Amino acid sequence: MNILNPKVPLALQELADFASAAASCMTEESPITGIYVADQTENEQDFFKLEVSGAVFERCTFERCIFEKTSFYDCKFQNCNFSNSNLQDAYFERCQFQFCKCIGTNFHGSVLKHVAALQSNIQFADFGGTKLTNVLFRETDLTESSFAESSLKQTEFQNSRLIKINFFKTPLAGVDFAKNEFAGPVLSSPPFELQGAKVNAAQAVDLARLLGVIVEDL
């Protein structure tokens, strides 16, 4: 999997108040760059159309915040919480999430390029209508998240939990589910989305039920 890592500057400016700095940049319609943000909590803050590049966020909480149409370039998020926040139509390029929580987060219509989600909890998230290119989900829980009507190009799932995922009208050709916990997907009838996808034998038995096939033990 060829994913470009974030290009984060060696020297970063530590921000004691990210929300205030972001508000100033949004007013001036200028990007916020080369920053380090740690141990900050924001609730229901509006970061609409903010542009962030070359940044590291550690142990930050952004719950129920608005990041709609926000752009992130070359950013690292470590032990951060974006649960129930709105990142609709956001843009991510060369970004990494590790040990993060994005439960119920809205990524609808977003663009993700060269993005890695590692050892994270992304249950009940909405990736509907997203465009994913060179994206990796490793050791990540995506239970009951939605990728309906999305585009998955060079997207990999590794040792992740994919239970009751909504892949309605999302072509899965070339996607390898074999080394993941994959069961109960939401698909069309018949499930054309699975054409060209790779599954293991146990997963195939479960998916056969979507076709009305009953597999008996020998």
Side-chain angles (χ1 to χ4, degrees), residues 5-122:
N5 292 321
K7 299 177 182 178
V8 179
L10 293 177
L12 297 173
Q13 175 189 0
E14 184 169 357
L15 287 184
D17 189 342
F18 172 73
S20 295
S24 177
C25 288
M26 288 186 291
T27 299
E28 299 172 1
E29 296 185 351
S30 62
I32 185 167
T33 64
I35 59 170
Y36 173 74
V37 184
D39 301 302
Q40 296 189 28
T41 297
E42 302 294 342
N43 291 291
E44 300 181 354
Q45 288 286 341
D46 190 345
F47 300 103
F48 180 73
K49 279 191 174 181
L50 176 67
E51 182 177 326
V52 183
S53 66
V56 174
F57 295 82
E58 290 188 342
R59 301 177 301 279
C60 292
T61 296
F62 298 99
E63 288 197 89
R64 298 181 298 281
C65 291
I66 297 173
F67 288 93
E68 189 174 355
K69 295 187 178 180
T70 297
S71 299
F72 295 97
Y73 301 89
D74 299 305
C75 293
K76 289 185 177 181
F77 303 94
Q78 299 172 343
N79 290 288
C80 291
N81 185 357
F82 286 89
S83 293
N84 298 310
S85 286
N86 180 8
L87 287 90
Q88 185 170 352
D89 298 321
Y91 184 91
F92 298 87
E93 186 166 352
R94 295 183 303 278
C95 292
Q96 183 183 93
F97 296 81
Q98 187 166 27
F99 304 117
C100 289
K101 183 184 292 186
C102 299
I103 298 176
T105 304
N106 180 10
F107 293 94
H108 193 96
S110 295
V111 174
L112 285 70
K113 294 183 177 179
H114 295 280
V115 172
L118 313 173
Q119 299 159 298
S120 295
N121 187 344
I122 314 181

